[in-house]
Amino acid sequence: EKERFFIVTFQGMVYTKKKNSICLTFFYITAVERTVLIMKKRKSLLKTSVFVLGTLEIFNKVIDSSSIVNTNTRTGGKYYHWKHGDIFYHVYGEKGNPPLLLIHDLTVGSSSYEWHHLARQLTDTYRIYTIDLVGCGKSDKPGITYTNYFYVQMITDFVTEVIGQRTNVAATGLSNSFVLLANAINHDLFDEIMMVSPTDLTTLKKTPDDRSRFIVRAFELPIIGKALYYAFTSHMNTEYYLTETCFFDSFHMEPSVVKAYYDAAHAGNGNGKYLLASQFGNYLYADVSRALKAADNRIVLVIGTQNKKADTLIREYRAIQPHLVIEPISESKLLPQLENEGEMLELLYTF
């Protein structure tokens, strides 16, 4: 804009000051040349931007098309038509058995697959319910900002309307915070609570800030946001997350685990980006200290012996709830139900 004003000013001076017309004409030409150069750069930048966005859109379409047929197609199981989206779930076992709700961790790759091995082996003791939280697996993935209380409401409604009675519950990771808060709000939901590798209390106190809000806005961009999401959830990154973060002995991890997490993240044409954005934006956290302290349920804390935060988790949770029962699972990290099924199965039988 300054260059354009410069041209207009000197053009006027050419016509009003004839004595210096040669000199002024020189500056006029120089200004025009600089303006043309700027316009060329802008056109070049525009062409580059269009090319990059076009390439990213092609990349997104290729990923979308390859994700249509995978292990998370909407087949099998049942659907609870919740007011904020359809919730996919499985039911195992006889109706007369006491209910047990199994809830997976809240990551974009998580799903009820996390519990599927154990669920089928517990049918002689329990009536098992495994669910895909909204935003995960085969459940709907609406383009919204997800919050902790969104899932508190979802779990409350599922127990009330689908299970229809008090139930034991086992949850993994961040999902434990939803269970604790739901239990604090409605005392008629749960009997015993099993917390598997819960999120540490310090992390749960995080709140959105300017940096996290910027990340949310980046992921919400139509083309760039989806491309970022697909890059983050690539097969390589999914495998790295599982082997380096979740499993202690990755050499014994079945290839089907990586496939299940990859497929779950890519179901829904990239709409998992909204859940990922909400997680990066710190919208999924909530302080559960009061809910934990007020709980009069029997609460079992299951922790993998190879979990790097094991000591911290035990110290933090026991400081608030002294009656907490600690159950270590050997040779496991964050997902003992997938890494050491034998010990987890024995623990759930006596739950």
Side-chain angles (χ1 to χ4, degrees):
E1 297 299 327
K2 290 182 179 179
E3 293 290 342
R4 291 177 183 174
F5 180 76
F6 181 73
I7 295 167
V8 173
T9 301
F10 278 101
Q11 189 176 16
M13 292 177 69
V14 168
Y15 292 112
T16 56
K17 295 186 178 182
K18 297 181 179 180
K19 292 182 179 180
N20 297 322
S21 60
I22 298 176
C23 180
L24 292 174
T25 302
F26 169 76
F27 281 108
Y28 173 73
I29 295 171
T30 303
V32 171
E33 288 176 347
R34 291 177 65 185
T35 304
V36 171
L37 182 60
I38 290 173
M39 291 178 65
K40 286 182 177 179
K41 287 182 178 180
R42 288 178 178 175
K43 287 182 180 179
S44 177
L45 179 61
L46 178 62
K47 289 180 180 179
T48 302
S49 300
V50 171
F51 174 77
V52 170
L53 289 175
T55 302
L56 290 177
E57 180 64 5
I58 293 173
F59 168 75
N60 292 339
K61 293 295 184 182
V62 170
I63 300 297
D64 286 342
S65 62
S66 66
S67 301
I68 293 175
V69 180
N70 56 46
T71 58
N72 284 291
T73 51
R74 295 169 67 92
T75 57
K78 298 182 177 182
Y79 283 93
Y80 162 47
H81 301 294
W82 189 44
K83 54 189 174 184
H84 296 300
D86 290 351
I87 299 171
F88 178 81
Y89 71 100
H90 274 112
V91 183
Y92 308 94
E94 299 297 326
K95 287 186 177 181
N97 293 343
L100 172 59
L101 174 62
L102 302 176
I103 307 175
H104 61 80
D105 192 6
L106 189 68
T107 72
V108 292
S110 298
S111 68
S112 54
Y113 174 88
E114 186 180 295
W115 292 100
H116 81 289
H117 282 302
L118 293 179
R120 290 176 172 83
Q121 299 180 66
L122 292 166
T123 54
D124 57 339
T125 305
Y126 297 102
R127 182 165 174 80
I128 303 292
Y129 294 83
T130 63
I131 62 174
D132 286 356
L133 298 174
V134 172
C136 301
K138 300 179 187 178
S139 292
D140 282 349
K141 299 183 178 182
I144 61 175
T145 297
Y146 296 85
T147 66
N148 192 285
Y149 287 96
F150 174 87
Y151 289 103
V152 170
Q153 185 180 15
M154 186 202 119
I155 290 172
T156 299
D157 290 346
F158 184 85
V159 173
T160 302
E161 298 182 20
V162 178
I163 299 179
Q165 65 182 94
R166 289 174 67 94
T167 179
N168 286 355
V169 58
T172 310
L174 184 58
S175 296
N176 286 289
S177 64
F178 315 147
V179 171
L180 289 173
L181 289 172
N183 183 65
I185 295 170
N186 188 337
H187 301 294
D188 296 323
L189 295 178
F190 307 118
D191 286 321
E192 299 186 13
I193 298 172
M194 179 179 289
M195 301 190 300
V196 181
S197 307
T199 303
D200 65 272
L201 297 179
T202 302
T203 299
L204 290 176
K205 293 177 181 179
K206 289 182 178 180
T207 56
D209 54 24
D210 291 340
R211 177 180 174 275
S212 65
R213 292 189 186 96
F214 173 79
I215 295 174
V216 171
R217 288 193 291 270
F219 273 102
E220 288 177 348
L221 293 172
I223 298 176
I224 296 176
K226 182 185 278 192
L228 285 172
Y229 174 73
Y230 280 151
F232 187 86
T233 58
S234 67
H235 191 279
M236 181 179 67
N237 285 338
T238 300
E239 184 175 10
Y240 182 83
Y241 166 72
L242 290 168
T243 56
E244 298 299 319
T245 303
C246 299
F247 277 74
F248 165 61
D249 187 0
S250 58
F251 292 103
H252 290 87
M253 183 178 69
E254 298 177 4
S256 60
V257 176
V258 178
K259 177 173 172 53
Y261 274 72
Y262 177 84
D263 288 344
H266 289 78
N269 290 327
N271 266 17
K273 71 175 187 175
Y274 295 100
L275 175 58
L276 185 63
S278 301
Q279 185 174 8
F280 282 154
N282 297 334
Y283 288 98
L284 293 169
Y285 302 128
D287 189 355
V288 299
S289 300
R290 291 184 179 181
L292 178 63
K293 185 176 183 178
D296 58 1
N297 316 65
R298 179 177 182 266
I299 301 178
V300 180
L301 174 59
V302 178
I303 197 81
T305 56
Q306 303 303 318
N307 187 333
K308 294 180 180 179
K309 292 187 176 182
D311 293 337
T312 300
L313 290 170
I314 294 172
R315 183 176 64 254
E316 285 185 344
Y317 278 83
R318 262 217 168 136
I320 297 174
Q321 181 54 266
H323 302 294
L324 202 67
V325 178
I326 308 298
E327 292 288 355
I329 302 295
S330 64
E331 303 296 314
S332 64
K333 214 169 183 180
L334 299 186
L335 296 172
Q337 63 268 54
L338 289 175
E339 197 164 15
N340 193 337
E341 291 182 17
E343 288 188 29
M344 276 296 297
L345 188 63
E346 184 178 348
L347 186 59
L348 285 166
Y349 269 129
T350 58
F351 182 39

